[in-house]
Structure formats: structure tokens, C-alpha cells
Amino acid sequence: MNSILNIDDLHLEVRRDHIANPVLSGVDLSIKIGEIHGLVGNSGAGKSMLAKAILGILPAATRISSGVINFDGKDITRLDSKQRRHLASRHIAMIPQDPMTSLNPVRRVGKQVCDVLQLHMGMDRGKAQQETQRLLDNVQIREPKTVMRMYPFELSGGMRQRVLIAIAFSCKPELIIADEPTTALDVTVQRQILQLIKQLQMNSATALLFISHDLGVVAKICDRVSIMQSGRIVECQTAESLFDEPQHAYTQSLLETTSKYYRFDRGTNTHSETPAEHQDHA
Amino acid sequence: MNEFARRFGSFSSGHLRVWLGGSIVLLLITAAVFAPWIAPHDPLEQDLISGLLPPFWSSDYDSTYLLGTDSLGRDLLSRLIYGARIALIVAIVAATLAAVLGTVLGLLAGYFGGLFDTTISRMVDIWMSFPPVLLSIVLVAVIGTGLHSVIIAIVVIDWTRFCRVVRAEVLVQREQDYITSAVTIGLGRWTILWREILPNVVPLLITLLTLEMGIAIIVEAILSFVGLSVSSDQATWGGLIQEGRQYVHQAWWVMTLPVLCIIASVLAFNALGDGLRSMLDPVMRR
Amino acid sequence: MAPRFILRRLLLILPTLFGVSIIVFVLLRVIPGDPIVMMIPPGATQADIDNLRQLYGLDKSILDQYLIWFGAVLDGDFGISISLRQDVVGLIVSRLPATLELALSAMVLAVVLGITMAIIGTYWQNRWPEAVIDGISGFNQAIPDFLWGLIFILMLGVLWPILPISGRIDPRTGMEFTTQFYLAESLLRGEFSILADLVRHMLLPMVALALPLTAVITRTLKASLFETMTQDYIMLSEIKGFSRWRILIVEALRNALIPTVALSGVQFNFLVGGTVLIERIFSYPGIGNMAIGAVIDRDLPLIQGLIITFAIIFIFTNLLIDLSYRLLNPRVANE
Ligand SMILES: Nc1ncnc2c1ncn2[C@@H]1O[C@H](COP(=O)(O)OP(=O)(O)OP(=O)(O)O)[C@@H](O)[C@H]1O
Ligand SMILES: [Mg+2]
């Protein structure tokens, strides 16, 4: 299978008081077209930084010192901001970690979906609104027309995350990066959102980089998993073999701290399509 | 190298401003105190034949009047020097009184808290929402014109500046270790307030006081400009501006000179205050 | 919703004015100095003085005076100006439009300038345009409107005389106005040469009034924009692929304006207060200029009328600020 993203020996450093601290030191990662690729590692390992490097939104103090990020055959570390913008959302999108802060509080929800469509898909307003309605319907939001006219503060966290997922999938990108997309949500909603992401991903040709702390969740939805430790990918396996025969000592220790029954739980509940259980309009 | 840069940086930002501002303020004080000896003429002495004479750089310059005369032939230099007197009296007296009133209320509100604090803070908020210029004019309308009214107006309006800042600072200081240890030693509340907290807000107060003097000079100029300060035959910078404004097209210097005096002294007080702040601040934090 | 909010606020005006009127009345009656003394011609007899006193109701007790005065005020009668010997309401109505046009234009100018500078400073953060903007607004903040007015007169009225420094309109234009809103009227009637003359006269006082508010708006809005630009939703719109300009103006500006309005609101009142002085400096025929004259002449009825007028303007200014706050913030808008 061809890969959509190929990261080769990526080094990244943060400058603080004239001292460069390495954050990524030689990351190799490849994501295949249409797969769900898990990225696991403990806090501070550099997962979010890697995601930001791919998305091209690195903080000002950071610098890619060497290495390439090949997306669809092109090195995207060398793009200027205009070329980057063309790539954004249309080809690489993101599902953010915190739905409470990721929608603009003073703009109507519908507008925030429409504007991407208008920017990248060349739709006029009417067409974009129709498409928005369809997209919101797809992420199992009831009465999408009403929700479109609401402001973010009128929606619950789960609802907002559904909107953000709709935005991520709206332009049918080749790659979506989801950086801990459920950690800010409560447990029941987490499950629904995971199912939704998985289901939408399966119905599209989108590859998904799924960043998480939770090996159990990763085991459930990912095809392949990369393990990250202090700025390096130490192991990359299919989800099954990773759980059955972890190669790297670090992976083994990670697995031990995770509840064992996830291994047996794997596969259940993943493909069922239950609609959203709660749609509370907060 | 780094150390040098930091020192030089702190010199240019702090010391330089203190020196510049301080020397202009010193000049101002000298002019005010020794006005009768420095001023070449009596500021009230009229010489109707030689009205609106230009200053020394002009060809029509009359050597008895270095900076020229106003429409009644009074010597501008002398009027400016005597104007500095009034400006400085107001600046020092009004700013000091405002500082004392504001500091006392701010210390008490910050240290004792409770209802007293709520009342004072609420009052400060309301006070500060009134346009100060309008408020001072209304105040002068109520208490009448004159030097004391100008001073009262400034004190009544600007005590809030001190109160707010001192109160906030006390709230910070109160939580710090040395106060807690003073309490455990068993010092009384007043002693703590007087001996422990007050000395720590002094650097801040000096800065605020200096800035307030600049403000007071402007307020005095405004009130004398509109004719609500001292009686109009006394020389004030604002009065000179008002006079010069009337024939600004014939004799622009009559208005320009006092405006320059005001700008110079206000900038000097600002520079002194800002310089003191950046000099005293790190000392305080250490 | 908004209409009910406005109605509630408008109803609040009445008790506020009642309070203001009591304070004003009492304050001005306890002051030293007898206004009657100022109006008597030399050589008037005691009987003349008593007559005048009676005429202006100054021989009764304070409470009676207040009741008489307030009763008249409710009828729209603020009495006769002592110094100008004209109806106070008539005087104020004829001068108020000039002040309103000046203050409103200055507010609009300050808002437009302040927002523009804050946006430019944020867009070119850490580069020379930001340094220039910080320099300008720091300088701007150190100089009060009074000094700006004087500096403008010297620079643009005398040194390089390109603008008029006195009055509201060139008397030679000879236009007959039906209202006192010269600016609005000449605009509506399409008299553009007259409009240009009015604008030329208004320019310097307007800019002098606007500059301090501009400095405050620039500083608060810029700080608020910086803060907003670090928010998650801004990062997300970057990922959506929008340009930095669009993100600043469409996504960040409205959010950043909400705290700015709350913080700089009181400065709009300061601008209105500033008209008193600026009108005096530029001999502009508005109520501010008149107010100083009234204070100098101890013209009680006029002072009372003017203070109440200013109180009403402040109430409306605050209403305008609260309204824009509600318009900007969807959370309170729907309450
Ligand atoms: N804005 C920043 N400036 C400087 N250093 C940063 C910044 N953000 C992150 N870092 C550093 O980069 C390293 C990697 O951080 P990163 O956020 O990528 O970790 P992570 O794997 O996503 O952790 P978590 O699981 O907690 O989200 C950390 O050591 C962190 O200190
Ligand atoms: Mg992270």
C-alpha cells in the first residue's frame, strides 16, 4: 500500500534563552493511505509537537533543524505560508483536543463550517449551507438547521466536538490529525465520539493520525500503532502484533500499566453505529 | 558583555531619565523659589507703548525684554518665571495632599479589608468614571476660584490614583512572608501597617507622586486658562496661554512660550517618575 | 433582547436625573458668592436687589427653591440664564447640536484610528510597524487633549496655517440652516462646499479630542488581540487555511473588542468631558464653551441646565457602550 505521509529523520528544537532544546530527535513515521495510525507515548514525548510540525503551526520559538516531511510526494517543510494555506484543511485537517476552546465563541456554528467549504471547495454561500447541513447530519447532530444558527456556548462539549469533526472531514482531506480528541470529554461521550470518528473515517479515503495516551482506545480503533519516547519513534507495529508481542522494552512497560482486558475487548463495539445518545443543547 | 549591556540598559532607561527629568525639575524649582531675584522685571509692570514685542531672535527685538512682551507690555520672561511659582506650588501641595489622603485610605482599605474596603473601592470606581476636567470645573464652580480651590479640586479628584495603587500593593504585601512573621512575633496591627507595610509602598508612592505633580501642573494650567484659577492679573502659564490665544496670529510666541514650559515640565516630571520607577522597582522586588 | 434592554435603560434615566438634580441643586446653593451681586448695575438700590432676588426665587428656602425649580424642570423650563438673560432650554438646544456633532465625530475617529492601529500593530508583531505604533500611542497617551489642542493651534493654525482654529463655520458662507446640526444638514442637502468648510473647522478640535481615546483603544485592543491570537480557535482557523489578515479581522477582532469595550468605556465619557476645554480653546460654539462661561459668571440656572444636559449625554454614551458590548458578545445578547 502507498503511504500518504512519510516523515524521515525529523529533528526539531525549541529555543529558550539562546539554548536549543531538542524536542524531536530523528522521527521516522509513515502513514498509509486510508489507515488509522495510532501514536502513543507518555507526556512530553513530543506527540503534539510532531502533529504541529505536520500541520505547519509550530510555535515561533521552534525550528525544524533537519529531516523531511513528505506529504503526497512533496516535502512540506519547505513550503511558504501561501502554499501551506492551500494544503491546510483541503488536504491535511485536524480534530483538536479541546472542543470547548476550539470554536470561535462569537461566530455562529454554521458559519464556521461554511467558511472552510467556501474557501476550499469553491462553493457559494447557499451551496455551502446545504453542504454544512449534510455534514452536521453526518456527525449525527439532530436538527442541524437549528444548530447552525447557534453560538458555541449553546452547545455541549460533545456537540462541539461533533461540529469540529464535521469541519475536519468537510473538504475530504487525505490526512486528518486527531490529537487526543476525546480527553476533554466525559466517558460516555468519549465512546460516541470515537465511534463517530472511526465510522466517518471508514466511509472516506482519509488517513487518520490518532494521538492518544490510552492504549486501550488505540487498540480498538487503529490499524497500526507507533510508540513514541522522548522525541523518537521506538516501535511501529500493527495493532494486533503490538499487543501480542511488543518488541521494545518501553512498549512492554506501557502495556503493563494499561489494563489487560483491552486485548480481549478489542473488536467489540467498534463497528456498531449507535446514534448519539445525548444531544443536550446546553 | 551581557552584564555590561544590562547595566548600560538600566542606566539609559533609569538613570538617564532621572537625570534629565531631575535637572529640568530643579531648574523649575530654582526659578520658582528665586523668582523675585531672577526675573528681570516686575511681572505686573505694564508698558503700554512696548506691547507685543518679539523675543531675542527677531530683528525688532528690544534688549530690555529678552523674550518679548504681552499685549500690555509686560515682560514675558518675568511672567513665565512667576508662572512657574504658581505651577510648582500647586504641583507640590496638591500632589502631596492627594498622596497623603489616597495613601491613608488605600492602606486602611487594603489592610483591614471588609466593609471599609468595599466602600472605599466602590467610591474609587465611581470617582474614576467621571471626566476629571469636567469634575474639576464643577468643583471650582462650587467652591469658588482661587489657588486654594485649584488645590482642593486636584486633591478631591486625584486621591483615587494613590488609593487604588496603594491598596493593591498592600494586598500583595500583606500576603508575603515578612508580614506573617511580624504577626507571629506579635506586633500590633498599627505597628505592622506603619513599620512593615508603609516602607514597602514608599518607592511606588514616590513614583506616583512625581507623576501626579505633572498632572497637577496641567490641571492648574487648564483652570487658569479658562479663568478659574488665581485672579487674572497674577501671572500663570495657563493665563498667558489664554492671553496669547487671542492674538496668536499677531504674536505667536506669547502662547508658544508657556505651552513649551508646560510640556517641558510635564515631560520632566514624567521622565523623573518613570525613571524612578525603573530604578526603584527591581530593588523592591529583590 | 435588545429593545427591552434599551427600554429598561431609558426608564433608568429618570431616577438618575432626579438624583443628579438634587445633588446639583444643593451643591450650587450652598456655594459662597451671590449671583445677584454680579448682575446688578452700579448704583442699584437695595430694593432693586430684593426685586431681582424675588424674580429669580432666591429669597425662599432651599427646599422651596428646589421644588419650584424641579416643578419647572418637569415642564421643560430650566429658568432664565442670569448672564445671558435668555431661556436656558433655548440656549442649550441651540448649542447642543454643535457639541454632539463634534463629540460623535471624535468618537468615530478614535474608534476607527484605534482599531486600525491595533490591527496593524498585531499583524506586524515584533517588527518595525509595531514599534512605530507603540511609540505613537505611548507619546499620545502622555499628552492630554488640552495640550494637543494648543499644539495643533500653533502648528497647523499659525506655523503652517492650513486650517482654521476658531469657530464652527466661516461666517461668509452665508448658508441658512434650518437645524443646528450643520454637518448633518449640509450633508443631506448636498452642500458639499459648506460641508468641507465645516469639516475644516472641526478637524483640529476633533482630532485633539480623539487622540487620548485613540491611545487607550490602541493599547487595550492590541493587548487583547495578542491574547486572542493565542487561542485554540485561532490556531484552528489557521489550520483551516485562512490568511492572517482574515483571521485577524474576521476571527480575532470581534473577540478582542469585547474586553476592549469594557475597559475603554469610561474613556468615552472623558471625551465628552473634554469638549468643555477643547471648545474653549477653539472658540467652538457648543455647550462646553458655554459651560465655562456660565461657571465664570456664576450663572446658576444655566449651570444647572448644562450639568443635567451633560448627565443625559453621559447616560446615552454609556447606553451606547453597553449596547455595543451586547452586540459584540453573543452570550449577553440573548439574555
Ligand atoms: N510552546 C512550547 N515552547 C517550548 N517548548 C515546548 C512548547 N510546547 C511543548 N514544548 C516542549 O516540547 C516537548 C514535547 O511536548 P509535546 O506537547 O509535544 O508533548 P506530548 O507528547 O504531546 O505530551 P502530552 O501527552 O502531555 O500532550 C516537551 O518537552 C515540552 O516541554
Ligand atoms: Mg500533547
Side-chain angles (χ1 to χ4, degrees):
Chain A
M1 223 203 277
N2 268 333
S3 52
I4 182 72
L5 186 81
N6 248 316
I7 299 177
D8 192 17
D9 197 29
L10 185 70
H11 289 258
L12 188 141
E13 55 195 29
V14 176
R15 285 189 170 276
R16 201 177 288 143
D17 299 332
H18 305 286
I19 301 162
N21 300 307
V23 173
L24 301 180
S25 24
V27 169
D28 296 298
L29 178 72
S30 94
I31 296 175
K32 293 174 180 165
I33 292 175
E35 78 167 336
I36 301 190
H37 193 112
L39 183 61
V40 188
N42 60 354
S43 216
K47 306 182 295 292
S48 298
M49 275 294 179
L50 180 59
K52 284 180 182 165
I54 300 170
L55 288 159
I57 49 164
L58 285 171
T62 48
R63 202 172 66 89
I64 293 179
S65 41
S66 69
V68 286
I69 303 176
N70 264 319
F71 177 79
D72 209 7
K74 291 184 296 284
D75 180 10
I76 56 174
T77 60
R78 313 249 172 273
L79 297 184
D80 64 25
S81 65
K82 206 166 176 184
Q83 292 166 312
R84 215 42 269 185
R85 286 210 298 273
H86 175 71
L87 207 66
S89 251
R90 179 71 188 87
H91 299 280
I92 306 179
M94 178 197 195
I95 302 172
Q97 176 170 3
D98 188 355
M100 303 310 276
T101 56
S102 295
L103 285 170
N104 191 331
V106 300
R107 300 184 68 217
R108 289 179 201 278
V109 168
K111 272 235 167 77
Q112 301 191 47
V113 188
C114 279
D115 60 12
V116 211
L117 294 169
Q118 283 170 274
L119 179 70
H120 292 294
M121 310 300 275
M123 294 185 187
D124 59 28
R125 245 186 72 203
K127 203 129 183 271
Q129 275 171 341
Q130 276 180 2
E131 177 67 8
T132 300
Q133 200 180 330
R134 196 187 64 78
L135 285 166
L136 291 185
D137 197 52
N138 267 359
V139 293
Q140 294 156 11
I141 286 177
R142 281 191 227 122
E143 297 182 52
K145 269 193 164 155
T146 324
V147 171
M148 278 169 68
R149 277 195 304 275
M150 287 182 169
Y151 286 97
F153 76 91
E154 298 171 271
L155 302 178
S156 67
M159 288 283 280
R160 290 189 215 191
Q161 194 61 304
R162 285 169 197 277
V163 173
L164 287 160
I165 291 170
I167 292 174
F169 279 94
S170 61
C171 300
K172 305 187 177 63
E174 285 89 352
L175 175 65
I176 293 179
I177 294 173
D179 189 353
E180 308 186 37
T182 58
T183 36
L185 303 170
D186 74 59
V187 186
T188 42
V189 185
Q190 275 186 13
R191 224 179 49 229
Q192 299 165 16
I193 294 293
L194 282 176
Q195 283 165 8
L196 180 67
I197 292 176
K198 172 92 181 168
Q199 174 207 332
L200 287 172
Q201 190 270 341
M202 286 203 315
N203 297 339
S204 63
T206 301
L208 186 72
L209 178 64
F210 186 86
I211 302 177
S212 176
H213 281 281
D214 191 339
L215 269 174
V217 168
V218 167
K220 266 192 227 170
I221 71 166
C222 294
D223 301 310
R224 291 196 307 152
V225 182
S226 288
I227 309 291
M228 194 165 187
Q229 183 191 16
S230 44
R232 265 192 210 89
I233 305 284
V234 293
E235 181 166 2
C236 179
Q237 290 258 24
T238 61
E240 274 116 9
S241 50
L242 183 87
F243 279 86
D244 295 339
E245 44 202 271
Q247 303 289 309
H248 199 271
Y250 177 66
T251 317
Q252 288 164 3
S253 71
L254 264 184
L255 275 176
E256 266 156 33
T257 53
T258 313
S259 291
K260 278 189 175 170
Y261 65 75
Y262 276 118
R263 269 196 271 178
F264 309 109
D265 203 26
R266 187 171 150 73
T268 58
N269 242 345
T270 313
H271 304 292
S272 59
E273 288 171 24
T274 42
E277 282 153 31
H278 309 283
Q279 281 210 358
D280 38 336
H281 296 204
Chain B
M1 174 63 211
N2 226 350
E3 181 63 16
F4 173 77
R6 203 172 307 138
R7 282 183 172 222
F8 184 73
S10 83
F11 177 81
S12 65
S13 60
H15 291 75
L16 188 68
R17 273 182 289 172
V18 169
W19 276 110
L20 267 177
S23 37
I24 296 179
V25 169
L26 212 64
L27 196 73
L28 198 66
I29 294 176
T30 317
V33 173
F34 300 106
W37 294 276
I38 297 175
H41 293 265
D42 179 346
L44 302 179
E45 181 193 294
Q46 301 185 2
D47 181 0
L48 289 174
I49 313 159
S50 41
L52 294 185
L53 287 179
F56 60 87
W57 57 79
S58 160
S59 52
D60 307 332
Y61 156 65
D62 177 337
S63 60
T64 40
Y65 303 108
L66 190 62
L67 291 179
T69 58
D70 68 3
S71 61
L72 297 175
R74 294 176 294 196
D75 178 45
L76 272 183
L77 179 58
S78 308
R79 288 184 77 73
L80 285 173
I81 292 175
Y82 274 87
R85 264 194 159 179
I86 300 219
L88 210 68
I89 291 175
V90 171
I92 291 176
V93 177
T96 311
L97 289 180
V100 170
L101 181 62
T103 307
V104 169
L105 290 176
L107 278 175
L108 296 179
Y111 191 71
F112 292 106
L115 186 64
F116 184 69
D117 183 28
T118 329
T119 319
I120 294 281
S121 306
R122 192 86 200 99
M123 224 163 107
V124 169
D125 285 346
I126 295 174
W127 227 249
M128 290 191 117
S129 68
F130 284 110
V133 172
L134 202 58
L135 197 55
S136 62
I137 288 173
V138 171
L139 269 174
V140 172
V142 173
I143 51 186
T145 58
L147 198 58
H148 65 284
S149 313
V150 175
I151 292 173
I152 292 175
I154 294 173
V155 174
V156 166
I157 293 168
D158 280 350
W159 64 276
T160 49
R161 293 173 189 269
F162 293 90
C163 184
R164 207 171 58 148
V165 176
V166 169
R167 175 183 167 273
E169 191 63 27
V170 171
L171 287 184
V172 174
Q173 301 275 357
R174 203 176 62 174
E175 301 308 318
Q176 277 169 12
D177 290 345
Y178 67 91
I179 297 300
T180 332
S181 57
V183 171
T184 42
I185 293 172
L187 291 179
R189 286 183 138 192
W190 294 104
T191 324
I192 292 176
L193 202 55
W194 181 251
R195 276 210 247 137
E196 307 290 333
I197 291 188
L198 187 61
N200 277 289
V201 294
V202 161
L204 190 70
L205 271 178
I206 292 175
T207 306
L208 277 180
L209 185 67
T210 321
L211 294 175
E212 179 65 29
M213 289 184 183
I215 295 172
I217 286 186
I218 290 181
V219 175
E220 196 283 323
I222 287 174
L223 289 174
S224 52
F225 171 79
V226 298
L228 292 175
S229 177
V230 295
S231 72
S232 57
D233 53 347
Q234 248 179 303
T236 56
W237 290 346
L240 268 180
I241 294 174
Q242 147 70 13
E243 219 185 308
R245 169 72 180 89
Q246 290 164 21
Y247 35 85
V248 68
H249 288 294
Q250 297 91 294
W252 54 269
W253 57 89
V254 180
M255 182 179 151
T256 309
L257 292 171
V259 169
L260 288 180
C261 285
I262 293 175
I263 292 179
S265 37
V266 169
L267 287 182
F269 277 113
N270 276 0
L272 189 60
D274 283 344
L276 285 175
R277 167 156 48 203
S278 63
M279 267 174 66
L280 296 174
D281 235 22
V283 181
M284 246 176 62
R285 299 272 176 270
R286 219 173 278 150
Chain C
M1 277 294 294
R4 269 185 56 192
F5 166 75
I6 297 175
L7 196 70
R8 216 167 48 214
R9 290 293 298 262
L10 287 179
L11 285 178
L12 219 72
I13 291 180
L14 290 176
T16 314
L17 282 184
F18 185 64
V20 170
S21 76
I22 291 182
I23 295 172
V24 165
F25 195 87
V26 171
L27 272 184
L28 293 182
R29 291 299 140 137
V30 299
I31 65 177
D34 190 339
I36 294 296
V37 175
M38 313 204 45
M39 16 184 335
I40 47 171
T45 61
Q46 185 62 37
D48 292 338
I49 297 178
D50 289 343
N51 272 341
L52 272 177
R53 253 205 188 117
Q54 218 169 356
L55 183 66
Y56 288 100
L58 294 172
D59 54 341
K60 304 200 174 65
S61 75
I62 282 197
L63 183 65
D64 283 340
Q65 286 184 37
Y66 177 73
L67 289 178
I68 294 170
W69 177 71
F70 194 66
V73 163
L74 289 183
D75 286 342
D77 174 12
F78 280 74
I80 307 288
S81 153
I82 294 176
S83 60
L84 301 170
R85 324 240 158 154
Q86 285 178 46
D87 177 34
V88 166
V89 174
L91 277 172
I92 293 179
V93 166
S94 72
R95 296 284 202 97
L96 181 61
T99 300
L100 289 182
E101 283 188 343
L102 177 64
L104 264 175
S105 327
M107 284 183 196
V108 172
L109 178 71
V111 169
V112 170
L113 264 181
I115 291 181
T116 313
M117 299 224 295
I119 287 180
I120 291 175
T122 314
Y123 189 84
W124 283 287
Q125 193 178 344
N126 296 328
R127 273 181 279 166
W128 67 265
E130 191 200 353
V132 170
I133 295 230
D134 284 351
I136 292 176
S137 57
F139 188 65
N140 196 351
Q141 199 147 37
I143 298 186
D145 46 9
F146 173 63
L147 284 183
W148 275 129
L150 298 176
I151 292 170
F152 286 161
I153 286 182
L154 290 172
M155 306 290 272
L156 299 170
V158 181
L159 188 65
W160 185 36
I162 49 169
L163 287 169
I165 53 173
S166 297
R168 189 181 181 196
I169 189 169
D170 192 331
R172 284 165 302 181
T173 49
M175 166 138 165
E176 294 282 332
F177 287 97
T178 48
T179 67
Q180 293 293 319
F181 289 96
Y182 290 179
L183 208 62
E185 192 181 328
S186 59
L187 184 68
L188 289 178
R189 279 166 55 176
E191 299 275 5
F192 293 115
S193 64
I194 307 259
L195 182 69
D197 182 60
L198 284 164
V199 170
R200 274 164 46 78
H201 275 83
M202 193 192 264
L203 208 57
L204 292 182
M206 175 175 82
V207 176
L209 265 183
L211 283 181
L213 179 59
T214 309
V216 172
I217 293 180
T218 308
R219 255 183 28 145
T220 27
L221 181 61
K222 197 168 131 260
S224 174
L225 272 174
F226 272 29
E227 162 78 20
T228 308
M229 288 303 277
T230 63
Q231 300 292 312
D232 284 351
Y233 54 85
I234 296 296
M235 192 189 73
L236 194 81
S237 52
E238 242 173 275
I239 294 171
K240 279 179 176 177
F242 289 113
S243 71
R244 205 168 140 73
W245 274 120
R246 197 207 116 110
I247 292 176
L248 250 179
I249 289 162
V250 179
E251 308 271 346
L253 183 60
R254 190 171 158 191
N255 282 290
L257 275 173
I258 294 171
T260 308
V261 168
L263 286 172
S264 62
V266 67
Q267 286 284 334
F268 283 80
N269 281 343
F270 288 11
L271 187 152
V272 175
T275 57
V276 172
L277 207 58
I278 291 296
E279 287 181 4
R280 193 73 177 176
I281 294 174
F282 288 94
S283 315
Y284 189 88
I287 57 169
N289 202 340
M290 194 160 69
I292 288 178
V295 169
I296 292 173
D297 296 338
R298 310 193 73 81
D299 187 340
L300 285 188
L302 191 53
I303 295 177
Q304 286 163 347
L306 283 169
I307 290 183
I308 301 239
T309 310
F310 271 107
I312 295 175
I313 298 180
F314 289 145
I315 291 172
F316 272 98
T317 311
N318 289 342
L319 180 64
L320 211 69
I321 287 163
D322 286 358
L323 260 179
S324 49
Y325 186 81
R326 294 174 80 90
L327 282 180
L328 287 168
N329 193 345
R331 261 170 202 268
V332 283
N334 292 12
E335 260 169 26

